[in-house]
Amino acid sequence: MTIAAPEAIAQTIHQIRQTLPDSVLLMAVTKQVPVEAMRAAYAAGVRDFGESRLPEAIAKQSELQDLTDITWHLIGHLQRNKAAKALDHFQWIHSVDSLKLAQRLDQLAGDRPRRPRVCLQVKILPDPNKFGWTVPELLADLPQLDECRHLDIAGLMTIPPYGLDADTTQSVFIQTRELAEKIRQQTWQTIRMEHLSMGMSEDYPLAVQAGSTVIRLGRSLFGARPTA
Ligand SMILES: *Cc1c(COP(=O)(O)O)cnc(C)c1O
């Protein structure tokens, strides 16, 4: 794996930061990235780290215990039988992709001191390779999601299908923002629609233009991952 040098990581982070509005949170996605590179990102000011898989995240969290002010974000698909573990190890779960998973998390969160922050993963375009609600499915499930009072349902997360052109990608991001606005116009107990988790290395400028509040950057900070 071609992991960038610590100085290069720091420089890239500073450069990208300068292009971002203050309202946008930069999350470093560190799947397959060694802890030394994560420390370089931390030294450059990053406090939000995203991981896709629980075992890898848990191992790194124990190696980085001295960095006590990290916010950990789960961004990969979560199986319901791992929900408790996810709540133990992450403050945000961006990849809540079904009503059943949300209800399971809600049930478990009731016994815990802090409300986990979650995003609802939505598929604006059909994509057989991704988890998440289609728009009509999500709209249908909202009343039951709103019953999940132990969750902080903070917004939407989306990943455009792979290989779209820039215009179509941009339109996916705009439609996601419009969906959040539409949902926000209704009255809810639990559902807030303040966050839009969208934008990765290839497309984050488009996502930021469309109103993203959290961008999830891996390769642009750390270099290419080995293809799985
Ligand atoms: C891997 C991953 C990212 C980061 O992708 P890059 O192309 O490396 O920036 C962002 N979001 C999710 C959900 C991911 O799985």
Side-chain angles (χ1 to χ4, degrees), residues 185-198:
Q185 277 161 15
Q186 292 171 261
T187 306
W188 305 104
Q189 301 271 352
T190 305
I191 296 171
R192 307 187 292 134
M193 278 288 135
E194 269 156 39
H195 280 286
L196 292 170
S197 170
M198 56 189 201

Side-chain angles (χ1 to χ4, degrees), residues 59-212:
K60 288 174 176 172
Q61 288 172 355
S62 82
E63 289 187 69
L64 296 172
Q65 273 176 40
D66 54 310
L67 309 182
T68 52
D69 58 348
I70 290 180
T71 298
W72 292 95
H73 300 251
L74 181 64
I75 59 172
H77 175 62
L78 175 61
Q79 291 169 310
R80 262 180 287 154
N81 61 3
K82 307 262 174 63
K85 207 157 227 181
L87 291 176
D88 288 340
H89 289 274
F90 294 91
Q91 286 92 54
W92 285 61
I93 302 175
H94 292 243
S95 43
V96 173
D97 53 21
S98 72
L99 179 59
K100 283 186 164 171
L101 175 60
Q103 289 172 332
R104 180 73 188 130
L105 289 166
D106 180 54
Q107 201 177 37
L108 294 163
D111 301 331
R112 287 162 195 259
R114 73 187 154 71
R115 284 163 90 214
R117 179 167 285 185
V118 307
C119 294
L120 307 174
Q121 185 173 351
V122 63
K123 290 193 284 194
I124 297 293
L125 295 178
D127 188 345
N129 300 316
K130 299 238 163 54
F131 291 95
W133 281 271
T134 64
V135 175
E137 287 166 352
L138 180 62
L139 294 175
D141 281 348
L142 285 175
Q144 281 173 280
L145 287 164
D146 198 45
E147 301 287 310
C148 296
R149 304 272 156 86
H150 303 110
L151 301 181
D152 174 15
I153 302 181
L156 302 178
M157 188 274 244
T158 201
I159 311 169
Y162 185 72
L164 296 181
D165 63 39
D167 285 349
T168 316
T169 303
Q170 176 78 303
S171 120
V172 166
F173 293 143
I174 290 171
Q175 288 178 66
T176 307
R177 187 197 64 219
E178 288 172 349
L179 177 62
E181 284 165 359
K182 175 178 167 176
I183 295 171
R184 207 187 294 134
Q185 277 161 15
Q186 292 171 261
T187 306
W188 305 104
Q189 301 271 352
T190 305
I191 296 171
R192 307 187 292 134
M193 278 288 135
E194 269 156 39
H195 280 286
L196 292 170
S197 170
M198 56 189 201
M200 312 185 2
S201 292
E202 300 285 306
D203 55 21
Y204 75 87
L206 298 173
V208 169
Q209 270 180 40
S212 172

Side-chain angles (χ1 to χ4, degrees), residues 29 31 52 75 157 159 200-201 216-219 225:
V29 174
K31 59 190 180 209
S52 300
I75 59 172
M157 188 274 244
I159 311 169
M200 312 185 2
S201 292
R216 310 180 307 265
L217 304 186
R219 289 170 297 162
R225 291 180 293 273

